[in-house]
Amino acid sequence: MLIYLHGFRSGPQSEKVHVLAEHLAQRGLAHEMWCEQLSPVPFEAIARIEAQIARCATPPTLVGSSLGGFYATLLAEKHGLRAALINPFVPHADFDAGLFLGEHEMIYSGTRFTFTEAHIAQIAALDCPLLRNPQNLWLLAETADEVLDYRHAVARYAGARQTILEGGDHSFTRWPDYLDDVLRFAGLLS
């Protein structure tokens, strides 16, 4: 099972989710992915993801993009899971509160929400700056990410498998090229 965790204003309608779901369906594995809209409230998002992890018959692999990569890191560490992290958010390095505080709109649904100091405190409380099991993590990053500095992720995930690609952007433009590798990492392909 893959549990896909989307980014800050994103959702299950994102291009990466669509491409991954289509790829799984082509391989007869459509039932092997869970991706739902996560709350913009960090503690609520984590609770929903943990409830899904608890429902899995076997340990799932997490795939997280941006803020979802932060959540995937936290939960992989907590539950001993594997996680593929796509241009992940690194709180102690990438956190510019000005980018988060205030009113925002979800990209695909148009739903509006306000991100407050209390939400920032939740992210700080969730952060686990010292990774105990970097061997369970795989960093996928592009150097021209216009939102997050990929070098922060390279430093944070030292000891983890790393695929760092020149160019690209925050969406991870070469995502389709890595789908089978992600499925192998998750144990869904040999």
Side-chain angles (χ1 to χ4, degrees), residues 28 59 68 91 120 141 148 166:
I120 288 174
L148 304 172
E166 290 295 320

Side-chain angles (χ1 to χ4, degrees), residues 6-189:
H6 62 76
F8 181 59
R9 296 183 319 120
S10 191
Q13 306 87 345
S14 80
E15 182 67 19
K16 281 193 293 295
V17 174
H18 174 74
V19 168
L20 177 58
E22 187 174 285
H23 192 73
L24 284 164
Q26 289 169 356
R27 295 193 163 279
L29 299 168
H31 61 286
E32 293 291 342
M33 185 173 89
W34 178 89
C35 180
E36 292 186 8
Q37 185 68 52
L38 298 176
S39 170
V41 178
F43 285 175
E44 290 176 9
I46 291 296
R48 183 165 193 169
I49 301 159
E50 287 196 300
Q52 180 58 33
I53 290 169
R55 284 191 287 274
C56 292
T58 59
T61 296
L62 307 173
V63 178
S65 177
S66 194
L67 184 59
F70 166 67
Y71 292 156
T73 301
L74 164 77
L75 294 170
E77 286 283 293
K78 182 176 179 181
H79 297 287
L81 303 174
R82 297 175 63 111
L85 314 164
I86 307 160
N87 288 332
F89 168 70
V90 178
H92 56 276
D94 291 325
F95 215 164
D96 175 359
L99 295 176
F100 288 91
L101 284 176
E103 192 169 327
H104 299 276
E105 184 175 310
M106 292 299 215
I107 295 168
Y108 301 100
S109 69
T111 303
R112 299 194 69 74
F113 66 95
T114 301
F115 204 79
T116 68
E117 291 281 356
H119 299 132
I120 288 174
Q122 289 180 19
I123 287 177
L126 291 169
D127 193 15
C128 55
L130 181 62
L131 299 177
R132 296 181 319 255
N133 298 297
Q135 72 280 0
N136 290 343
L137 306 174
W138 178 19
L139 170 65
L140 296 123
E142 291 182 324
T143 63
D145 184 335
E146 73 284 7
V147 176
L148 304 172
D149 187 333
Y150 81 97
R151 295 170 296 189
H152 296 159
V154 168
R156 165 119 167 103
Y157 296 100
R161 176 179 173 183
Q162 295 192 4
T163 302
I164 310 302
L165 304 169
E166 290 295 320
D169 60 33
H170 189 62
S171 73
F172 196 74
T173 60
R174 284 163 274 194
W175 177 235
D177 299 339
Y178 287 87
L179 296 176
D180 280 341
D181 293 327
V182 169
L183 297 186
R184 278 189 280 278
F185 179 74
L188 295 174
L189 287 182

